[in-house]
């Protein structure tokens, strides 16, 4: 569904953003800029520093990313690397199966590097943590 919506937006000449993509891909239905998701999630969702498949990784706002960023964890590789799917990391595109490496001093996932091209990791980005989907079971 998330990829179908992206294709429809692109066909209409509309921009693809990380927030609607993450919202459609996950069961986390938060609105507003990515930088606000962490605060808005506090009253409704469980938050933490350990990745889980289906969780939303919440990136902090920076000078380079003033609106923040959100990505959805698709798999866990090691205790320091996850794979995410997200939109608009590369302008107006969806990026599937991109690695994210924890480079934080205390292995708490508060600072990461994101795979920009296969096998190539870019700048350092601060992370709030993970927003976990509700267990409907």
């Amino acid at each position: 569904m998330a990829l179908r919506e992206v294709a429809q937006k692109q066909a209409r000449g509309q921009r693809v953003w990380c927030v609607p993509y993450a919202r459609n891909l996950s069961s986390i239905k938060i609105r507003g800029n990515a930088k606000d998701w962490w605060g808005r999630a506090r009253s409704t969702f469980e938050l933490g520093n350990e990745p889980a498949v289906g969780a939303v990784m919440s990136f902090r706002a920076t000078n380079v990313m003033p609106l923040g960023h959100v990505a959805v964890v698709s798999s866990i590789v090691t205790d320091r690397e996850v794979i995410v799917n997200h939109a608009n990391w590369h302008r107006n595109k969806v990026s599937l199966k991109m690695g994210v490496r924890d480079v934080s001093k205390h292995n708490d996932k508060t600072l990461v590097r994101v795979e920009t091209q296969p096998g190539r990791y870019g700048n350092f980005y601060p992370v709030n943590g993970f927003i976990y989907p509700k267990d409907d079971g």
Side-chain angles (χ1 to χ4, degrees):
M1 179 177 134
L3 289 174
R4 184 173 50 234
E5 184 174 313
V6 165
Q8 291 169 350
K9 285 184 176 203
Q10 288 173 327
R12 293 189 303 262
Q14 295 176 318
R15 181 93 180 258
V16 176
W17 295 98
C18 65
V19 166
Y21 182 76
R23 189 172 45 241
N24 287 334
L25 191 59
S26 73
S27 61
I28 298 171
K29 306 303 180 198
I30 298 175
R31 298 218 172 257
N33 291 324
K35 69 178 181 173
D36 301 323
W37 273 42
W38 189 254
R40 290 184 178 170
R42 279 196 178 119
S43 62
T44 309
F45 296 92
E46 187 178 336
L47 307 174
N49 285 336
E50 289 303 316
V53 172
V56 171
M57 178 181 262
S58 169
F59 289 74
R60 294 178 186 260
T62 66
N63 289 340
V64 176
M65 290 188 317
L67 298 178
H69 187 71
V70 287
V72 180
V73 177
S74 63
S75 64
I76 299 168
V77 179
T78 69
D79 67 335
R80 295 201 77 142
E81 185 167 5
V82 298
I83 303 297
V84 300
N85 296 327
H86 54 159
N88 207 37
W89 191 258
H90 296 291
R91 187 174 176 86
N92 208 30
K93 295 184 182 194
V94 170
S95 299
L96 301 175
K97 298 180 181 178
M98 290 183 73
V100 178
R101 287 187 180 156
D102 174 28
V103 293
S104 62
K105 185 176 180 180
H106 301 290
N107 193 24
D108 59 7
K109 285 62 166 192
T110 55
L111 189 67
V112 300
R113 293 181 74 193
V114 178
E115 192 173 27
T116 56
Q117 299 294 328
R120 294 179 54 202
Y121 288 77
N123 295 330
F124 294 80
Y125 294 95
V127 170
N128 293 306
F130 297 90
I131 305 169
Y132 305 111
K134 291 182 180 180
D135 183 11
D136 293 331

